[in-house]
Amino acid sequence: MFLFFRKKKTEQDKELLKFLRNILGLKPENILLYKTALIHKSKSHKDAKGNKINNERLEYLGDTVLSTIIGDYLFKKYPHQGEGFLTDMRSKIVSRASLNALSKKIGLSQLIEYTHGRGGGFISMSGDAFEALTGAIYLDKGYDFTYKVLINRIFTSYLDISDVETKDWNYKSKIIDWGQKTRHKVSYAVINVSEQDKRKQYKVQIFIDNFPQETAVAYSIKAAEQLASEKTFKRLVDSDIINVDDYK
């Protein structure tokens, strides 16, 4: 599966090892897992058998592991809070916007291999890589080690939990709220369904007064709606159509 990697250490290899040691505090048993976690699908390789190599499978695994770890952590941190609060907090922490920002803070984004200059901007690339990295740590070191790394070295150092409690990350809610206040009709539609590595991907487009806006692709309709909403919201802010101060 990993035959395409060179045995000789490159500068990129050295930067990855430095990141793993300094930020995560780990010495990898299987460095190839971490290298794969940083290969965006736009930079996919093929092994000797023609199998596509990128970080999407690790992203899938990491998404599950990350959600479990955050759920475990929040359950212990807030012993008297109800299910609704815990679910909302977990959603905020593992949202693509939150993981994108976290990935950039810790320097992970700079290590991602991707094809530059392609359309779409790869809005979720950094967050996807963070999930893939989580999957790599889990496979390499196990659940307990992954929990300690994420909570003690990443989330405690780079994420303000009290800020997360008050932060409104839901761009879909923001767009809908803006539409209601300004009497613009906001709607969503699934415009394409495809399959990637035996998983369905949904392409969603947002419409304002029936005029098409941004699109996004994700493994769930809800996630695609959020990504499309985020892209549209930021464009409307940049165009001075929405005053960002009204939605902080």
Side-chain angles (χ1 to χ4, degrees):
M1 175 179 178
F2 303 104
L3 294 179
F4 65 89
F5 287 121
R6 290 166 290 187
K7 292 183 178 180
K8 186 179 180 181
K9 285 184 182 178
T10 64
E11 284 302 316
Q12 191 172 23
D13 295 338
K14 294 176 183 177
E15 287 299 315
L16 174 57
L17 288 169
K18 185 189 299 184
F19 169 83
L20 295 176
R21 181 178 65 250
N22 295 342
I23 303 299
L24 303 185
L26 69 82
K27 182 178 180 181
E29 301 296 328
N30 185 352
I31 187 62
L32 300 179
L33 284 170
Y34 301 93
K35 295 175 75 170
T36 304
L38 296 173
I39 301 175
H40 184 256
K41 62 183 179 182
S42 66
K43 201 75 171 180
S44 295
H45 300 264
K46 286 188 178 180
D47 64 15
K49 296 181 179 180
N51 298 310
K52 191 181 293 185
I53 305 298
N54 58 44
N55 67 3
E56 289 189 325
R57 281 176 53 82
L58 285 173
E59 176 197 340
Y60 162 77
L61 177 62
D63 175 53
T64 302
V65 175
L66 180 61
S67 183
T68 301
I69 287 175
I70 296 303
D72 188 354
Y73 169 73
L74 293 174
F75 185 83
K76 295 171 182 173
K77 182 175 176 61
Y78 299 100
H80 305 297
Q81 291 288 0
E83 178 188 1
F85 173 87
L86 297 175
T87 299
D88 186 51
M89 281 289 289
R90 182 176 61 185
S91 296
K92 289 178 181 180
I93 293 173
V94 302
S95 72
R96 191 54 70 234
S98 177
L99 294 184
N100 279 343
L102 192 59
S103 182
K104 292 173 184 176
K105 278 185 180 180
I106 65 177
L108 180 65
S109 298
Q110 301 173 16
L111 301 175
I112 300 172
E113 289 188 52
Y114 69 100
T115 300
H116 297 257
R118 289 184 126 188
F122 302 134
I123 192 169
S124 66
M125 180 176 67
S126 295
D128 294 343
F130 187 91
E131 289 182 336
L133 176 67
T134 300
I137 300 171
Y138 171 74
L139 289 177
D140 193 39
K141 298 290 188 177
Y143 178 84
D144 290 341
F145 187 94
T146 307
Y147 182 98
K148 291 177 183 178
V149 167
L150 292 184
I151 300 303
N152 297 337
R153 296 192 68 100
I154 302 298
F155 290 103
T156 299
S157 301
Y158 295 93
L159 190 68
D160 187 341
I161 294 296
S162 60
D163 182 57
V164 173
E165 286 188 46
T166 59
K167 186 175 181 180
D168 180 14
W169 62 273
N170 195 325
Y171 284 95
K172 182 179 179 181
S173 293
K174 291 180 181 182
I175 285 284
I176 291 175
D177 182 57
W178 168 80
Q180 292 173 341
K181 289 179 178 177
T182 56
R183 297 186 179 182
H184 289 289
K185 179 185 176 183
V186 177
S187 59
Y188 297 81
V190 177
I191 59 175
N192 186 55
V193 180
S194 59
E195 192 168 287
Q196 181 74 26
D197 295 330
K198 298 182 180 180
R199 296 175 65 198
K200 284 187 177 180
Q201 283 191 325
Y202 300 91
K203 185 175 184 179
V204 168
Q205 184 157 38
I206 183 172
F207 294 83
I208 297 178
D209 296 329
N210 296 322
F211 288 98
Q213 306 297 318
E214 303 293 338
T215 64
V217 178
Y219 287 114
S220 73
I221 295 174
K222 182 178 179 180
E225 287 178 344
Q226 281 291 348
L227 289 171
S229 298
E230 181 178 359
K231 292 163 69 175
T232 301
F233 183 87
K234 290 180 177 178
R235 181 172 56 78
L236 293 177
V237 168
D238 291 340
S239 302
D240 294 325
I241 295 173
I242 289 180
N243 183 358
V244 70
D245 292 331
D246 294 336
Y247 295 89
K248 286 185 176 179

